[in-house]
Amino acid sequence: MAGCSNYQLLSLALLLLITVNPSSQSQLTEENGVKSAVFLSPTIVLDPGSVSNKFYYNIDFPKGHIAIKSFDAEVVDEAGNSVPLHETYLHHWVVLRYYHRKGVEVAKYHDNLGFHQSDFIVKRNSGICDGGLSQYFGLGSETRKTITYVPDPYGIEVGNPAEVPPEYEERWLLNVHAIDTRGADDRLGCTECRCDLYNVTKDEYDRDIQPDYIGGLRCCYDETRCKVKDGFQGSRRNLYLKYTVKYIDWDTSIVPVKIYILDITDTWKKPEKSTATVARHHCQIEYLVESCPASVANVDCTHTKKISVTFPSGGDVIYGVAHQHTGGTGIALHGEDGRVICSSIPIYGEGKEPGNEAGYIVGMSSCYPRPGSIKIMEGETVTLISNYSNAQRHTGVMGLFYLLVAEPSPNPSSILHSTDGTGEIVILHNAVGALAVFGIALIVGAAVIYQRRNQREEGYESILM
């Protein structure tokens, strides 16, 4: 695929696009000036062991020039009940912003070229991955208990008519990757997309999967099926992603924030001064964590992965959170001088009920620095460190870090912000009534619109999103 534009790369994944306009029902409420809109995705049909990883374009979304304050989502059944992760594992959901040429029919995008650059323009976040991790919102299994509300006076600006090219309109794309693990022979193996459990030798583009690719997104694509126990019987289910968008009308008092997503698998290397080559950020999205050697006893079985990258622009850090899969023990982002910008730790469930499923990451702690206290300078080299327990092998894991950054405030003390009054950084863990999620992730675990390059790191080909 070398030499293809991002829009051509986009086309392969979008051949899987579901064109049904989602959310047959929606609700709109308002409290203290904050509006809340609730929508449903199109129907997600799952049998025991089956996978749904479809793309839905032109989803319902609040209209107008607004500031997003949160984006929350979860999987529900036809009665609106929350579905536990041990029945349906939410590998990821991601939402992409784009501009669509007015008057162009959806069917036009199902020819051999897919989306044409002249008709479809992706509005990326401010992240540094080349052609990947373009989404505005997204999380995975940790959705229900990750606190990510954007505090006043900040907001994620969308719907600004001045940004939309003439003859275009702003739209949104949703990707949901759900894995039904009812009756699974190996639940963890299914959620980690182990290739042997899916019995696949080719990916969704009919390309051979090499033996050193043990597990990951290439093996659990749409309509694949993970191994279930012999004789297990389970009914077909109709599920939905229920998503809630909280927002306010835009005005000049709101401070806009930029969304940045960093990836621990980024292959970027700082260019030598003697060369004019511009190093690219090839983000692989997922990687393999091998288990501790069996011969080593009484050791701390921790797998650590570390990268350093140059931050493209400066500002005040308003919010930070990491994304990891099962086995993750936390990610920290450090500044050039070694200071901790944000450390995010997984919250593991302890029961069976939705939001507290034992063995699953059900939330990630979030950072809300005191305004003006944590800054990243333009061109500063930041270091990302991701830790996993490797008491056992984990396939297809992720190490993403999401930041909201604003222009430096001229008067930080005038801004009311989440704080405990004891330090520069406030780590917010699970809290009752504070589950608003705007999900600038994710990946989660995740690939929204992706194409794999031939260059590989640790046996995993890159996945563009």
Side-chain angles (χ1 to χ4, degrees):
M1 294 301 170
C4 292
S5 69
N6 287 340
Y7 303 98
Q8 290 171 318
L9 294 176
L10 216 55
S11 66
L12 289 176
L14 289 173
L15 291 176
L16 300 175
L17 198 65
I18 298 301
T19 59
V20 177
N21 191 16
S23 88
S24 58
Q25 54 183 293
S26 62
Q27 303 171 3
L28 178 63
T29 59
E30 183 173 349
E31 183 177 356
N32 297 325
V34 179
K35 300 175 183 179
S36 181
V38 182
F39 306 104
L40 292 179
S41 74
T43 305
I44 302 169
V45 181
L46 290 172
D47 293 302
S50 66
V51 176
S52 179
N53 188 19
K54 293 181 170 60
F55 300 81
Y56 310 98
Y57 113 102
N58 193 23
I59 63 170
D60 283 354
F61 201 89
K63 303 295 184 182
H65 190 187
I66 59 176
I68 303 297
K69 301 296 289 184
S70 70
F71 196 120
D72 188 16
E74 68 165 337
V75 174
V76 299
D77 61 19
E78 290 183 296
N81 300 313
S82 301
V83 177
L85 292 169
H86 52 75
E87 293 181 4
T88 298
Y89 180 72
L90 183 57
H91 189 283
H92 71 263
W93 59 269
V94 288
V95 176
L96 181 77
R97 181 184 178 196
Y98 68 98
Y99 301 136
H100 176 92
R101 186 185 294 276
K102 295 178 181 179
V104 176
E105 297 297 329
V106 173
K108 181 183 177 87
Y109 299 129
H110 289 269
D111 59 19
N112 292 330
L113 294 178
F115 277 92
H116 299 292
Q117 181 174 351
S118 60
D119 298 327
F120 183 92
I121 304 172
V122 175
K123 178 60 176 176
R124 293 175 50 85
N125 59 52
S126 300
I128 61 177
C129 292
D130 291 319
L133 293 171
S134 305
Q135 73 272 16
Y136 263 53
F137 310 102
L139 286 174
S141 69
E142 76 274 28
T143 290
R144 292 186 176 107
K145 290 189 177 178
T146 301
I147 304 169
T148 53
Y149 189 81
V150 184
D152 295 336
Y154 305 101
I156 299 171
E157 182 182 9
V158 301
N160 184 351
E163 295 182 354
V164 182
E167 306 302 323
Y168 285 78
E169 59 185 344
E170 183 178 275
R171 291 185 178 181
W172 298 84
L173 179 97
L174 169 68
N175 168 228
V176 181
H177 188 184
I179 302 172
D180 192 310
T181 59
R182 291 174 295 160
D185 190 66
D186 180 346
R187 273 200 176 96
L188 178 61
C190 288
T191 63
E192 292 188 339
C193 300
R194 264 183 33 205
C195 300
D196 60 328
L197 293 173
Y198 284 87
N199 194 29
V200 294
T201 58
K202 294 180 180 292
D203 65 16
E204 66 265 53
Y205 303 121
D206 200 38
R207 297 177 305 177
D208 291 335
I209 296 174
Q210 300 303 317
D212 60 347
Y213 187 90
I214 302 170
L217 288 165
R218 294 187 65 195
C219 292
C220 59
Y221 48 91
D222 189 49
E223 298 187 3
T224 54
R225 181 182 174 90
C226 194
K227 184 180 180 181
V228 298
K229 296 175 182 177
D230 291 340
F232 180 82
Q233 298 293 325
S235 61
R236 174 168 292 184
R237 304 176 77 179
N238 292 332
L239 305 178
Y240 307 88
L241 187 79
K242 183 176 78 172
Y243 58 102
T244 303
V245 186
K246 292 187 177 181
Y247 61 99
I248 57 178
D249 294 329
W250 186 264
D251 66 52
T252 55
S253 67
I254 301 170
V255 179
V257 293
K258 293 180 179 180
I259 301 169
Y260 292 93
I261 303 179
L262 305 179
D263 179 19
I264 197 69
T265 68
D266 191 346
T267 60
W268 181 89
K269 301 293 182 184
K270 191 171 184 178
E272 298 291 338
K273 292 182 179 180
S274 59
T275 68
T277 303
V278 177
R280 296 181 62 93
H281 291 270
H282 293 305
C283 297
Q284 310 297 310
I285 309 300
E286 56 178 12
Y287 63 104
L288 173 68
V289 172
E290 288 287 7
S291 61
C292 281
S295 59
V296 179
N298 300 319
V299 298
D300 178 19
C301 287
T302 298
H303 180 280
T304 298
K305 193 171 179 64
K306 176 180 177 180
I307 63 161
S308 294
V309 297
T310 299
F311 211 77
S313 62
D316 294 337
V317 176
I318 305 304
Y319 169 85
V321 73
H323 168 72
Q324 290 186 309
H325 288 189
T326 300
T329 58
I331 303 183
L333 180 67
H334 296 261
E336 194 165 288
D337 58 0
R339 73 192 186 283
V340 177
I341 294 172
C342 175
S343 178
S344 183
I345 308 299
I347 303 166
Y348 282 89
E350 300 177 345
K352 293 184 177 180
E353 68 276 15
N356 188 36
E357 300 93 333
Y360 295 87
I361 294 180
V362 297
M364 295 291 297
S365 66
S366 308
C367 299
Y368 284 89
R370 194 181 69 231
S373 65
I374 300 294
K375 299 177 183 292
I376 297 178
M377 304 303 293
E378 181 177 354
E380 180 176 357
T381 298
V382 296
T383 298
L384 193 63
I385 302 174
S386 176
N387 291 318
Y388 271 82
S389 167
N390 62 341
Q392 66 181 96
R393 184 176 63 189
H394 294 286
T395 61
V397 305
M398 298 182 183
L400 305 180
F401 212 93
Y402 317 113
L403 292 171
L404 291 183
V405 179
E407 292 293 328
S409 171
N411 186 16
S413 62
S414 68
I415 300 176
L416 297 177
H417 202 85
S418 304
T419 181
D420 63 358
T422 62
E424 297 298 309
I425 300 178
V426 181
I427 305 296
L428 297 183
H429 294 274
N430 178 27
V432 177
L435 305 181
V437 180
F438 68 85
I440 43 178
L442 84 344
I443 320 112
V444 231
V448 54
I449 297 170
Y450 56 84
Q451 166 64 31
R452 287 95 177 187
R453 300 182 190 274
N454 291 326
Q455 295 179 351
R456 299 168 59 170
E457 178 189 54
E458 298 186 14
Y460 288 85
E461 297 185 354
S462 65
I463 301 169
L464 302 190
M465 179 158 63

